[in-house]
Amino acid sequence: MSPYAVEKAKLNALSEVVAIEMKPFNITVQSMMIGAMWSPGLANSPLGPAFNGSGLFTPTPEAVGRAMVNNFGYGEAVIVPYFPHAVQYFFVTKLPKFVLSIISKRLKDVWDKNK
């Protein structure tokens, strides 16, 4: 999980810096943060049993794709285009770190149990 988090942080930071550098040339640069999507890959992953198919917080790739296209060019350099994921992101970023640690550990436990 930590390598994934590091790569996402690097991509978001790169998007923010390149967006600033490209603004004088009227070029839009955006990184889009996407949450979980319902797909065969998720269904067959160790976390698959924790999800019950497509839903509000596990939309289809098509729903996320529409949100990405509809939101491109709007907002900051890093956006969460699918509204329910944006709500999740807002609340998760307000949680204390110890709560995030508990959630991460439980996700890892589910992953390890279903590997």
Side-chain angles (χ1 to χ4, degrees), residues 5 9-11 15 19 21 27 40 43 47 49 57 68 73 78 86 89 91 95 99:
K10 285 193 313 191
L11 286 173
S15 294
E21 292 175 349
I27 296 173
L47 291 178
F57 294 112
M68 291 172 73
V78 179
Y89 179 76
F91 285 107
L95 292 173
V99 173

Side-chain angles (χ1 to χ4, degrees), residues 42-92:
L42 177 62
N44 296 322
S45 79
L47 291 178
F51 296 94
N52 291 326
S54 179
L56 183 63
F57 294 112
T58 50
T60 63
E62 293 80 11
V64 173
R66 279 191 302 276
M68 291 172 73
V69 169
N70 291 338
N71 287 285
F72 182 74
Y74 297 101
E76 302 295 322
V78 179
I79 65 168
V80 184
Y82 182 69
F83 183 72
H85 287 168
V87 172
Q88 275 183 320
Y89 179 76
F90 173 80
F91 285 107
V92 166

Side-chain angles (χ1 to χ4, degrees), residues 12-22 77:
N12 289 340
L14 178 65
S15 294
E16 289 177 353
V17 171
V18 174
I20 291 168
E21 292 175 349
M22 294 293 108

